[in-house]
Amino acid sequence: MIRPILRYGEATLHEKARPVEAVTAEVERLIDDMIETMYAAPGVGLAAPQVGVALRVFVADISVGRDPNGLIVMVNPQFLELEGMQLEEEGCLSVPGFNATVVRASKVIIKGLDRSGAEQQHEATGLLARAYQHEMDHLDGTVFVDRLRGIKRDLIVRKIRKLTRAGKW
């Protein structure tokens, strides 16, 4: 089932998500819905808080469904290592229509559980490393706009407030 994606400003997006205690049938259903929602959007990643569920789960696929092995499901993820630096433009399904350059680590190692509850670990660089960091931010209540400083952040936040007042957000 495709779920509605929350937009910047909605409470669940700005709260720290809770750890998943057990991968239950309900969590598996959430994961299936998140995968379907991410591909329908289309996006390269989606975190549970973006669909209104404050649990530490995200899905990512930088191939946007073109690579059958590209889909990664992470439950209770945590970083083991972050190194280097990359500066690239980022967007977000919860902040449609807005992009900005965000500083991220160029290489990450992340661990967590897969959808069956088995431990897994992934090393990533480039876009996949960026996607992991972006989705991990969502699990900590941070949206990419929160990482911006100065005029760029102010412009985006002002435009979102204006759209909200006009009933278009």
Side-chain angles (χ1 to χ4, degrees), residues 57-103:
V57 178
F58 77 74
V59 296
D61 182 354
I62 61 170
S63 82
V64 197
R66 290 187 294 273
D67 176 358
N69 299 316
L71 177 65
I72 292 146
V73 174
M74 294 296 291
V75 177
N76 295 337
Q78 53 189 137
F79 287 117
L80 297 177
E81 194 177 305
L82 294 115
E83 67 179 51
M85 184 182 87
Q86 59 172 309
L87 271 171
E88 296 294 332
E89 198 159 275
E90 248 175 67
C92 179
L93 296 175
S94 292
V95 193
F98 295 94
N99 293 326
T101 300
V102 180
V103 178

Side-chain angles (χ1 to χ4, degrees), residues 76-154:
N76 295 337
Q78 53 189 137
F79 287 117
L80 297 177
E81 194 177 305
L82 294 115
E83 67 179 51
M85 184 182 87
Q86 59 172 309
L87 271 171
E88 296 294 332
E89 198 159 275
E90 248 175 67
C92 179
L93 296 175
S94 292
V95 193
F98 295 94
N99 293 326
T101 300
V102 180
V103 178
R104 299 280 188 191
S106 57
K107 177 185 169 194
V108 301
I109 299 176
I110 192 169
K111 77 168 189 169
L113 305 176
D114 66 14
R115 66 177 305 143
S116 64
E119 286 195 23
Q120 63 177 337
Q121 182 173 311
H122 296 279
E123 183 175 317
T125 58
L127 179 58
L128 187 56
R130 174 172 293 282
Y132 286 166
Q133 292 166 83
H134 181 104
E135 301 313 326
M136 285 289 283
D137 273 358
H138 279 300
L139 302 183
D140 292 330
T142 301
V143 180
F144 87 93
V145 174
D146 301 327
R147 291 197 165 272
L148 305 176
R149 297 287 171 257
I151 193 122
K152 185 66 178 177
R153 182 183 197 288
D154 293 344

